[in-house]
Amino acid sequence: MFRLLEDDRGRMESTVTIEIDGYPVIARIGETVASALLREGASWSRTTPVSGARRAPYCMMGVCFDCLMLVEGEGLVRACQTLVRAGLKVQRQTGPRKVGPSC
Amino acid sequence: MLKPDLLIVGAGPAGMSAAIVAARAGLKVVVVDEQPTPGGQIWRGVEANAGTSRGRALGSQYCSGLATVRAFRECGAVYWPSTRVWQIEPTLGTYVTGPGGTRVIAPRLVLIATGAQERPAPFRGWTLPGVMTVGAAQILLKNPGSVPSEPVWIAGCGPLALLYAHQLIRMGGAVAGFLDTRPSTPLRESLRLAGRAVLRSSGELAKGMSWYAGLRHRAGRYVPGVVDLQALGTDRLEGVRYRTAAGRLAEIRTSLLLVHEGVLPELHTARSLGCEIQWDAGQAAYRPVLNEWGECSHPDILIAGDAAGIGGAEAAVHRGRLSALRILQRLGKVAAEPGMTEESCRAALARALALRPFLDRVFRPRGEIFAPDDDTIVCRCEELRVRDLRTVLAGSVGPNQLKAFTRAGMGSCQGRQCGLTVAALIAAAEGRQMGEVQPFRVRPPLKPVRLCDLAGLADEGLSS
Amino acid sequence: MLSRRELEHLYPGIRLGKDVTGGAFSALDGHVNPLRLLMALQQGFVDAGGTVHRGRRVDGIEVCGGQFRLHLKTGVVHAARVVIAAGEASRVLAEPLGMTLPFTLQRGQILVTERVGPVLPYPSDRIRQTAGSTIMIGGTKENVGRDTGTTAGAAASLAARAIRVFPDLARVSAVRQWSGRRVITPDIAPIYERSSRFPGAYACICHSGVTLAAYHARGLAKRIAGYGSWDDVQQFSARRFNVQAA
Ligand SMILES: Cc1cc2nc3c(=O)[nH]c(=O)nc-3n(C[C@H](O)[C@H](O)[C@H](O)COP(=O)(O)OP(=O)(O)OC[C@H]3O[C@@H](n4cnc5c(N)ncnc54)[C@H](O)[C@@H]3O)c2cc1C
Ligand code: FES
């Protein structure tokens, strides 16, 4: 849905690779997981626990909680408040999250 | 446990300005903010953007924030970025979680400078991926410098929608169309309000007019008088249907719609402490009850910036300074800067607020957003539609019972997205004024917190 | 009583903490959603022909010519029989009708987590998973009068205990904390009172009104309505605490 500007600031910035649902995604250092996600073809972040509907980041400022994703196995993390770092593993949060010995 | 003189929540214009005055006067100040860098919403990422082409495109008011951010960095206040406050107890015990783990702060006074959030304006389909707020898109513009990949549709009312369109076009993005949801203002009233304001703020008014003119000129299409929106699609946005005041129905194809209906003070922090609030009809929003220093009904808490009532960045700076001056007074200190006086701050605040009544009137939200139709989702977290609330609404139960019966406002966002709409629905159902309806009681944690972070506090001997 | 091994069989989806040595099990225990119950009771009452006057506070009750006069801000309501079941507000209303209700208030704080997949198939009094799949951890017992605030200290000890029993919950997030006041009589059992001075006046206060709802809605209601003997209810009179009738 979004693309990066090719301005002089952009050229100075370096990138890292994160993983969303196992796929590599290139992100700029200093940006959030949600902002990287919004450049992907499938830009949804979670499905709701009630009806299973898809949601995507909505407010980007931490007040809607629609960007909840699993970050390094941690649930209920707002992707719009989480900075990227090399190798960060992120998963879309589908339904209520699982708890148990394997998590 | 840290025991500063002053804890400031929020490192935007208000929080930083207050911190600078207080720290320079010798107070021990701690500032916490959820964001990784200082600047708040308006000056987000200004340290990295100022001096680049992106900074120039964002405008001079944006870049002017750099001076404040630099002064803040050097003022001696302890600054914890990427840190969220999840509870402030009435005794001011404050609990935060950030990169340093979970910590407790016990300040003598607290200044809440948490700013604003965009007004939730529910319409059918507003939860679909592809519907976002204009504020969200502007955050992406500042960092990492993302623009909609195709010409974008914007729907809304308020200076931010115009500013974003203006900035986007300057950065090489494109606006496919603008659905203007601003209700037409009676000409006489706006002229009267503008008349007074023009004398004092002609520059800003001219700037605003030029954004408007530019938008009408540069947007692919400009549709005035839009009263109803519907986002179409199943898994993601595919189109938008809209209706104008004149009754015209039309549909557009798009995968991205940016919406904006003005902003509201962030009240959760203050309300979790039981601070009194009131309905501000001019701004169509609740705001805290404050005196001229920003002191609220809790004796040791002050509120500044947009969290005190929407006033914009410049007013936030002066309100922050005024609150800091009051804090110095109460703790027996004086400001270190010679020009930092109550009189100069009040004069500057009055200038900054001169245009506000005019802006509030011209961009007053349309009544339709307070009365969504039965199919519209009100509570995004619990996926409750107006229909689901109807039977309970009919029983005159009040917001807290409604919450208990339906779960509206019980999800992760804690009513930040549905609170105002629910209050409006209750007021309508009972034929009462908004001022007579109190929104949901706010309970901690203000933001979710892991059980292990909570349990960590028990080890510190905090458990009861 | 169950051994740790037996407990593990009851909770196959989640590990038990190392300090857990065993547990108690009763096949009669269950979980009722108190809000749904309240809604259902109100609906049942309305369906049976009752009327609920919401948002109307009773400021006082008088006896007048064998009738009870309930003073509301909006006017007076007359009744031949009155049942005072106003929770902690019952004492002031019952006193003039010759019923003394001894109780104290006790604050209970409860922590509620995000929704998670089903892991706790059985409820316990300290931790249970609701039908909405959130986990409720509770509750504290505090004598703080009418204060219904919540404290981080309570959240900390509730969280610590939950993790001690189920360590897998450590990284689950709390989304809500709330508190309420319990009405606690000297022996914790309910008080069912029938005024001897003013026949037709009754009082009913208790903690665990959710658990006792079935009895209140049937057995007790029947007796108040005049069917069946009051004898077996008599033992729940406040007179068991040696209070003087007012
Ligand atoms: C933390 C906590 C945990 C609990 N857990 C459980 C549990 O697990 N199981 C269980 O069974 N119970 C539990 N309870 C207790 C249960 O909630 C109560 O026992 C129950 O609500 C009591 O019902 P009641 O009808 O006596 O009083 P209430 O529910 O207090 O109702 C009294 C009603 O009277 C109204 N009223 C008061 N004064 C006036 C007036 N002057 N005029 C008009 N109306 C008036 C009030 O508005 C209210 O609606 C718990 C309570 C707490 C605080
Ligand atoms: S996008 Fe709204 S909380 Fe992250």
Side-chain angles (χ1 to χ4, degrees):
Chain A
M1 264 186 299
F2 285 80
R3 66 176 168 86
L4 282 172
L5 281 169
E6 289 301 323
D7 59 8
D8 58 2
R9 159 126 190 245
R11 278 194 295 278
M12 295 170 342
E13 281 160 332
S14 31
T15 58
V16 290
T17 305
I18 64 169
E19 229 178 63
I20 298 181
D21 284 343
Y23 292 96
V25 169
I26 308 233
R28 275 191 182 167
I29 290 175
E31 78 169 312
T32 63
V33 170
S35 95
L37 173 75
L38 286 167
R39 290 193 303 274
E40 292 300 292
S43 58
W44 59 282
S45 43
R46 65 165 185 142
T47 60
T48 61
V50 181
S51 77
R54 282 185 182 177
R55 293 281 173 88
Y58 174 72
C59 72
M60 291 300 282
M61 59 174 288
V63 295
C64 76
F65 289 74
D66 265 330
C67 64
L68 297 178
M69 299 183 86
L70 287 161
V71 175
E72 297 287 338
E74 196 89 45
L76 221 68
V77 179
R78 287 169 296 165
C80 74
Q81 303 293 308
T82 307
L83 292 181
V84 298
R85 55 170 198 272
L88 193 73
K89 286 192 176 56
V90 184
Q91 285 162 285
R92 293 188 171 85
Q93 195 162 328
T94 46
R97 93 169 155 110
K98 287 160 198 69
V99 174
S102 54
C103 301
Chain B
M1 190 187 302
L2 212 59
K3 293 187 173 169
D5 297 311
L6 173 63
L7 169 73
I8 299 179
V9 188
M16 287 192 296
S17 303
I20 294 166
V21 173
R24 282 183 181 164
L27 292 189
K28 272 197 278 174
V29 181
V30 175
V31 181
V32 295
D33 194 299
E34 254 187 338
Q35 289 191 46
T37 55
Q41 294 306 341
I42 174 142
W43 298 328
R44 187 185 273 268
V46 69
E47 287 164 300
N49 286 332
T52 67
S53 60
R54 197 182 305 164
R56 281 188 292 282
L58 287 165
S60 58
Q61 207 204 3
Y62 174 75
C63 292
S64 74
L66 186 63
T68 309
V69 171
R70 285 203 174 134
F72 169 65
R73 290 261 194 207
E74 285 157 14
C75 75
V78 174
Y79 167 52
W80 287 347
S82 302
T83 301
R84 60 181 192 274
V85 171
W86 49 264
Q87 180 162 9
I88 305 179
E89 290 176 339
T91 50
L92 301 196
T94 303
Y95 302 84
V96 306
T97 299
T102 296
R103 289 188 273 196
V104 191
I105 310 172
R108 293 169 73 184
L109 295 172
V110 171
L111 176 69
I112 297 175
T114 45
Q117 72 163 70
E118 285 177 278
R119 176 191 296 280
F123 53 89
R124 271 168 294 160
W126 71 309
T127 53
L128 281 175
V131 180
M132 290 176 79
T133 69
V134 168
Q138 198 201 33
I139 287 169
L140 292 166
L141 204 57
K142 291 172 180 171
N143 176 31
S146 286
V147 295
S149 31
E150 275 155 40
V152 68
W153 278 90
I154 302 175
C157 160
L160 185 65
L162 299 175
L163 173 62
Y164 174 74
H166 175 74
Q167 291 173 330
L168 177 66
I169 291 167
R170 279 178 57 147
M171 285 197 188
V175 178
F178 192 94
L179 304 175
D180 198 340
T181 61
R182 189 175 70 79
S184 66
T185 317
L187 190 64
R188 262 186 68 212
E189 200 181 336
S190 10
L191 282 179
R192 186 173 54 79
L193 286 163
R196 279 194 225 136
V198 157
L199 301 174
R200 284 180 280 189
S201 326
S202 52
E204 254 149 275
L205 211 55
K207 198 163 73 183
M209 302 287 249
S210 80
W211 292 345
Y212 234 115
L215 181 66
R216 279 171 181 258
H217 184 67
R218 305 276 297 270
R221 270 165 64 196
Y222 174 82
V223 185
V226 172
V227 291
D228 191 25
L229 291 169
Q230 182 182 357
L232 309 169
T234 44
D235 258 356
R236 50 195 293 251
L237 184 72
E238 285 159 22
V240 178
R241 186 176 296 153
Y242 64 86
R243 187 164 54 81
T244 66
R248 197 167 70 86
L249 263 176
E251 222 173 280
I252 47 173
R253 301 270 97 197
T254 179
S255 57
L256 179 62
L257 173 70
L258 303 178
V259 292
H260 178 76
E261 300 282 357
V263 292
L264 303 172
E266 190 287 315
L267 284 177
H268 264 60
T269 316
R271 287 186 44 226
S272 73
L273 283 150
C275 300
E276 244 177 82
I277 59 165
Q278 67 193 33
W279 177 251
D280 179 336
Q283 300 202 328
Y286 291 104
R287 68 190 298 167
V289 177
L290 302 173
N291 68 9
E292 72 279 12
W293 296 104
E295 290 168 310
C296 69
S297 60
H298 186 296
D300 297 324
I301 292 170
L302 293 88
I303 307 177
D306 271 0
I310 303 305
E314 214 192 315
V317 166
H318 303 303
R319 279 180 174 161
R321 287 177 181 162
L322 273 167
S323 290
L325 288 177
R326 176 63 175 161
I327 288 162
L328 294 182
Q329 225 179 60
R330 286 176 57 168
L331 300 182
K333 299 268 184 184
V334 285
E337 303 97 317
M340 192 61 68
T341 62
E342 184 193 343
E343 297 70 41
S344 65
C345 289
R346 291 213 189 284
L349 177 61
R351 276 194 303 276
L353 289 176
L355 208 53
R356 201 40 60 178
F358 170 73
L359 293 176
D360 288 346
R361 183 64 192 93
V362 171
F363 295 111
R364 184 174 295 173
R366 70 203 140 95
E368 288 84 355
I369 63 177
F370 295 102
D373 66 22
D374 269 11
D375 270 340
T376 303
I377 289 182
V378 174
C379 172
R380 296 174 69 98
C381 295
E382 298 292 329
E383 296 187 88
L384 294 163
R385 292 166 205 274
V386 175
R387 190 191 314 121
D388 303 320
L389 308 182
R390 282 269 179 245
T391 41
V392 183
L393 277 171
S396 311
V397 291
N400 291 317
Q401 278 247 297
L402 182 124
K403 175 174 168 182
F405 282 169
T406 65
R407 297 187 63 87
M410 276 204 199
S412 328
C413 94
Q414 295 227 328
R416 286 175 174 86
Q417 295 294 324
C418 67
L420 191 57
T421 314
V422 168
L425 289 170
I426 290 175
E430 299 179 7
R432 292 197 282 161
Q433 301 292 317
M434 287 296 274
E436 300 171 297
V437 180
Q438 286 278 319
F440 308 129
R441 177 166 186 179
V442 177
R443 290 287 204 176
L446 294 168
K447 303 277 164 81
V449 50
R450 297 181 310 179
L451 294 184
C452 56
D453 292 328
L454 285 171
L457 293 171
D459 301 337
E460 286 183 29
L462 244 169
S463 62
S464 60
Chain C
M1 299 301 293
L2 302 180
S3 68
R4 182 184 163 102
R5 280 285 293 281
E6 289 167 310
L7 261 188
E8 280 168 346
H9 281 295
L10 288 186
Y11 292 99
I14 192 164
R15 283 175 298 192
L16 298 177
K18 61 178 181 2
D19 298 337
V20 177
T21 53
F25 180 80
S26 158
L28 287 175
D29 279 346
H31 173 69
V32 173
N33 178 325
L35 305 173
R36 296 239 175 104
L37 173 72
L38 184 58
M39 235 164 75
L41 285 171
Q42 294 191 356
Q43 191 60 49
F45 175 66
V46 170
D47 290 349
T51 311
V52 185
H53 298 274
R54 283 178 215 275
R56 301 253 216 114
R57 193 193 150 80
V58 178
D59 293 322
I61 306 173
E62 266 180 346
V63 190
C64 185
Q67 278 231 321
F68 297 98
R69 287 164 60 97
L70 282 67
H71 291 274
L72 279 65
K73 203 176 266 140
T74 44
V76 176
V77 174
H78 294 265
R81 235 177 283 192
V82 58
V83 181
I84 297 169
E88 59 182 66
S90 302
R91 181 149 43 205
V92 259
L93 293 176
E95 201 77 46
L97 300 183
M99 296 179 286
T100 303
L101 308 173
F103 64 85
T104 54
L105 296 177
Q106 183 188 62
R107 179 169 74 181
Q109 299 190 48
I110 282 178
L111 205 56
V112 186
T113 71
E114 61 181 300
R115 295 169 190 264
V116 294
V119 284
L120 305 180
Y122 300 97
S124 84
D125 61 339
R126 298 296 173 82
I127 182 163
R128 56 182 88 159
Q129 189 162 18
T130 66
S133 73
T134 60
I135 294 175
M136 256 173 59
I137 306 163
T140 60
K141 294 186 171 148
E142 305 158 85
N143 297 315
V144 292
R146 296 180 50 80
D147 182 357
T148 52
T150 52
T151 61
S157 51
L158 291 172
R161 197 176 51 203
I163 295 173
R164 193 162 167 224
V165 179
F166 298 114
D168 292 327
L169 298 181
R171 301 210 301 179
V172 169
S173 289
V175 295
R176 210 164 53 246
Q177 186 182 351
W178 56 268
S179 81
R181 294 186 290 260
R182 303 185 186 92
V183 169
I184 303 290
T185 63
D187 64 359
I188 314 174
I191 297 177
Y192 306 133
E193 198 70 53
R194 184 170 65 165
S195 175
S196 42
R197 245 173 69 200
F198 301 105
Y202 299 83
C204 167
I205 59 161
C206 67
H207 174 60
S208 298
V210 179
T211 308
L212 296 171
Y215 173 68
H216 292 164
R218 298 221 183 266
L220 185 66
K222 236 189 232 163
R223 287 170 174 79
I224 289 174
Y227 304 100
S229 151
W230 191 260
D231 291 350
D232 51 342
V233 183
Q234 197 59 42
Q235 55 183 313
F236 288 100
S237 161
R239 258 161 271 168
R240 71 184 187 270
F241 308 117
N242 285 325
V243 296
Q244 296 295 312

